[in-house]
Amino acid sequence: MAEALIGLLGVVVGAFIAGAREYWIAKSVNRKSAEYLAIRVVSVLDGFVEGCAEVVGDDGLYHGQAGPDGCRSVQVSTPEFSVESLDVDWKSIPSSLMYEILSLPNRVSAADQRIDGALEYVAGPPDYEELFEERQIQYGELGLKAASLSDELRKAYGVPAREYLDWDPVQHITEGKGRAIAERNERNARSEELWHSMQQKS
């Protein structure tokens, strides 16, 4: 009887050790996949953040000058964020973080629609102020979101922080977006004041 119990105990312990070994191997593989994903995605996010910073700095002027027709025009193309080309295991990271990253292209599409709407229904020559403000605000928000996701991946999977020698794109985005919002609010306030003035005169 005792020998049978010892034998059974040996089988149970052996199964437990084998199961634990498989668990730790799978966990290690998943961690490696997540670290690889973080490195790949962070590099793409960083490039997107820099592209957003360039859009935020675009005031429609070329070396401070408007075009030959006296109008401002877009000088910087908007950046793209594509996840299709990334050969990574998305299931290796938490679902909430995966969702935030994979939904970023949808955020870009929504931002572009708002910008197109500003151009079509609000902005006009020669300065197209509303267009450039909308671009700066929308891509400012996208850039800050991408930077936040990049930071989260870095902290979670040990990716080194990126060092910028000449400028900090996140600071540039924050300041540029703030200016655009302030300018929009000031113009809206002037328009509202003018409207009230006209109502009183009528």
Side-chain angles (χ1 to χ4, degrees):
M1 185 68 176
E3 292 180 355
L5 288 175
I6 293 173
L8 179 60
L9 180 61
V11 171
V12 171
V13 171
F16 174 79
I17 293 174
R21 181 173 178 273
E22 291 179 2
Y23 169 78
W24 286 111
I25 290 175
K27 186 174 182 180
S28 177
V29 170
N30 187 76
R31 177 71 185 185
K32 290 295 183 183
S33 296
E35 290 173 349
Y36 175 72
L37 179 151
I39 293 170
R40 289 291 307 277
V41 175
V42 158
S43 64
V44 176
L45 286 170
D46 287 348
F48 182 75
V49 170
E50 291 185 10
C52 289
E54 292 181 1
V55 173
V56 170
D58 181 11
D59 60 1
L61 301 175
Y62 179 72
H63 293 302
Q65 301 296 321
D69 58 357
C71 296
R72 299 190 182 203
S73 60
V74 171
Q75 304 295 315
V76 177
S77 299
T78 54
E80 296 182 0
F81 180 78
S82 174
V83 295
E84 289 80 4
S85 61
L86 294 172
D87 183 20
V88 295
D89 180 9
W90 292 104
K91 296 188 294 295
S92 65
I93 61 175
S95 58
S96 58
L97 181 55
M98 175 177 63
Y99 172 80
E100 291 294 329
I101 296 171
L102 294 180
S103 64
L104 189 56
N106 293 333
R107 291 175 179 264
V108 174
S109 296
D112 288 339
Q113 290 177 4
R114 293 189 182 95
I115 293 167
D116 291 341
L119 176 60
E120 184 173 358
Y121 300 110
V122 184
D127 291 332
Y128 295 97
E129 293 174 324
E130 295 85 354
L131 167 64
F132 289 101
E133 287 171 0
E134 194 67 39
R135 291 180 91 234
Q136 291 162 353
I137 293 170
Q138 292 298 327
Y139 274 85
E141 292 177 355
L142 289 170
L144 293 177
K145 179 63 177 180
S148 175
L149 291 172
S150 179
D151 287 343
E152 191 170 349
L153 283 170
R154 280 187 159 91
K155 292 176 183 177
Y157 300 104
V159 180
R162 185 166 183 176
E163 297 181 1
Y164 295 96
L165 300 179
D166 299 326
W167 73 314
D168 181 347
V170 174
Q171 181 180 353
H172 181 78
I173 289 172
T174 302
E175 294 174 352
K177 177 190 170 188
R179 284 194 300 269
I181 292 175
E183 290 170 1
R184 169 183 285 180
N185 290 341
E186 289 175 5
R187 188 179 60 259
N188 289 341
R190 290 195 302 268
S191 297
E192 186 175 350
E193 183 178 342
L194 178 60
W195 184 84
H196 285 300
S197 177
M198 293 175 63
Q199 289 293 103
Q200 291 174 354
K201 290 181 180 179
S202 62

